[in-house]
Amino acid sequence: MPFFRHPRSPIPFLVILCLFVTRPALADGGPLQTSADISWVVIAAALVFFMQAGFALLENGMARSKNAINVIMKNYADMSFGALAFWLVGFGVMFGANPSGWLGTDHFATGVHDGRDAAFLLFQIMFAATAATIVSGAVAERMRFLPYVLVSILITTLIYSVFGSWAWGGWFGGEGWLARMGFVDFAGSTVVHSVGAWCALAAVIVIGPRLGRFSSSGAAREIPGHNLPNVALGAFILWLGWFGFNAGSTLTASPDIGPIALNTHMAAASAFVGALIFQSLTRRTTVMTTTVNAAIGGLVAITAGCASIDLPFAVLTGFVAGILVCLGQDLMARLRLDDVVGAIPVHGFCGVWGTLAAGLFHRDGLFDPDRILIQLIGIWVCFVWTFGISFILFWVMDRLIGLRADSLHEQRGLDITEHYEVGYPEFHSDLTHRGKS
Amino acid sequence: MANTMSATQRREAVRLALSEALEPEDARSALRLWDSGFADSPSINIIAFVAETAGLIDLSTKQRHDLRRALYHFLLKSGTQADSSSVSDPVPPAAPDREPETPAPTQTRPSWVVFVCMVTNILAGVHMEGSDAMQEFSHSLRQRKKKVRVSEPLDRAFVAWSAGQVRIEALETATDADLARLFHAVYVATAEAIGPVEADRLLTRCINEAESLPEARLYPPRNFL
């Protein structure tokens, strides 16, 4: 075991860290009590994992062929580095004992002793990776790979976990201060999706648009993705995975899963229809990428209120989300923000709308002003924290190590410059680099 | 491809190229087209000339390719013999009477020929997008100069060329590595001027064009990428 014995090896340190900070098991009580609960949550975690495949296909398809590999590598990095980082640090920050309501204080690098612990940790790891991977689509085609990995680690260990501790914290005791106020975000319209989107917004501002994306007069130039069937298939996979994302958040194999899954599906369908109708009424071209994005926007929007609003309002929530995606993409172009896959309108704007809708249409009291106010506070706090801290961190990283790929790499494509591979080696006519020679 | 050749020399080079690439009757028709529409132009737009010739006498893709290659070959050859400089750009930023700042080498390097061919075609492509694109291209190129890491004299020459003060021959002393850096600056300016998608398409076309040059065997165009 030479690596283990190497004087600079980090493994002894990690082992000691685990011994000191690990608590034996999750607290008793609450969900995940039966074998059926655990089985359901593990299946749901697998569905959420499958969403990464959806993100990979969608983002890869929206990028140009010379960056296809790089996009997928970033998705894999989100899942892999994100899993380790969240287990080591993020899980404790988010779900550790939280007496102050501001931060978890234990269960770092937690040991897992039974199926209940394992299922919960696994499910939460998938959520953390989802938040991180939202960024990769927005910054595709011009962000370097290794700095991206660092960004992904920062999101899962710090940015996502801290806000998560406010809204969802207290699994091992205590309660997050936003949760204590009554903030409703069942499966993470804000906690997962808006956090990812505001990080993406900060990153997009810091690294700037792709070469030539906007003319000097400010007009946006379309940069079509290289594989739109991939985009459509990726969106279908995301839609499928969302059943695990929302219905799995019950953490119990209970009858509640039925209406949650139904709300989820109907909101997505309604968002697709909403976007189509909006594009038709405003005499826009019915663009597949926008319409498919709208369906995902519907899924994001219903995530907060899928367990607490009735079906007609779920449909309404999705419908509005579909329109928001169309308008949001226009806004991004007008602001000269280059979001390659439309992650910010889909996950950010629809996350905000969905969280607000969860307050507006709550079945315990429609349009309750107190609940709406709490929802608005949660939305605002999420934006201020997430965008603020991520902008500062990314700005500093950009100055210190450089987030943006060199323009020559942008010309050649990040596939060859970062990974020394090309996605489609048989299509030489599209090559913009000198190959491997 | 405007240069220091006289109109007679240019016509002779074009005639030789047409004779080599086309049947005699087609060559005569093409030469008439040259005389009527291209001979008086201060720049030589090979792409436009070949395109119009192809429309006139119905050339196959391979024939167009051969014609372009022959035109490049004879124009470069003729230019070199005339005044030791070979070619310059078709949308010249240059002042016609001004000599290049740096002396041109007596023998044309393959890398230089390929570079000029690619830059020439890129400029022609940007030019076809309109005057706004050309202005944006020039502006972007001037901005870009700060980031091009080349020697001081070459940097000055590049600045002067991008400002339209000298012809492209001013860059001829650049090493192959410098040419690659300059070519990248041209690519970035192209992406800013016409968008990255069009820039990539244009780049691919230019590589294909340049690969038809005899010099491309000695210095493949992809070396600039």
Side-chain angles (χ1 to χ4, degrees), chain B residues 2 88-89 91-98 160-161 163-169:
Chain B
S88 67
D89 45 337
V91 196
D97 297 326
R98 190 162 166 176
W161 176 67
Q165 295 161 354
V166 297
R167 285 189 287 270
I168 199 168
E169 292 87 342

Side-chain angles (χ1 to χ4, degrees), chain A residues 325-351:
Chain A
V325 170
C326 301
L327 294 172
Q329 290 189 343
D330 289 354
L331 179 67
M332 298 299 289
R334 204 162 294 160
L335 295 173
R336 294 198 199 192
L337 295 171
D338 186 14
D339 174 2
V340 176
V341 301
I344 296 162
V346 168
H347 298 274
F349 301 166
C350 292

Side-chain angles (χ1 to χ4, degrees), chain A residues 377-391:
Chain A
I377 290 171
I379 291 165
W380 178 243
V381 166
C382 175
F383 178 77
V384 171
W385 159 254
T386 309
F387 180 76
I389 190 76
S390 53
F391 185 83

Side-chain angles (χ1 to χ4, degrees), chain A residues 53-72 75 136-137 140-141 210 223-235 288-289 293 340-341 424:
Chain A
F55 278 119
L57 282 175
L58 186 139
E59 294 173 10
N60 152 293
M62 292 255 202
R64 284 168 290 177
S65 58
K66 60 184 177 179
N67 298 303
I69 298 293
N70 181 255
V71 170
I72 286 183
N75 289 124
S136 65
E141 304 201 283
R210 287 167 289 177
I223 306 178
H226 82 284
N227 193 331
L228 300 193
N230 268 6
V231 175
L233 180 59
M288 184 277 277
T289 47
N293 258 348
V340 176
V341 301
Y424 307 94

Side-chain angles (χ1 to χ4, degrees), chain B residues 201-221:
Chain B
R201 283 185 189 144
L202 182 57
L203 178 63
T204 305
R205 281 206 305 271
C206 292
I207 292 167
N208 291 338
E209 291 275 346
E211 279 176 342
S212 67
L213 292 170
E215 287 81 358
R217 289 183 196 154
L218 300 169
Y219 196 88

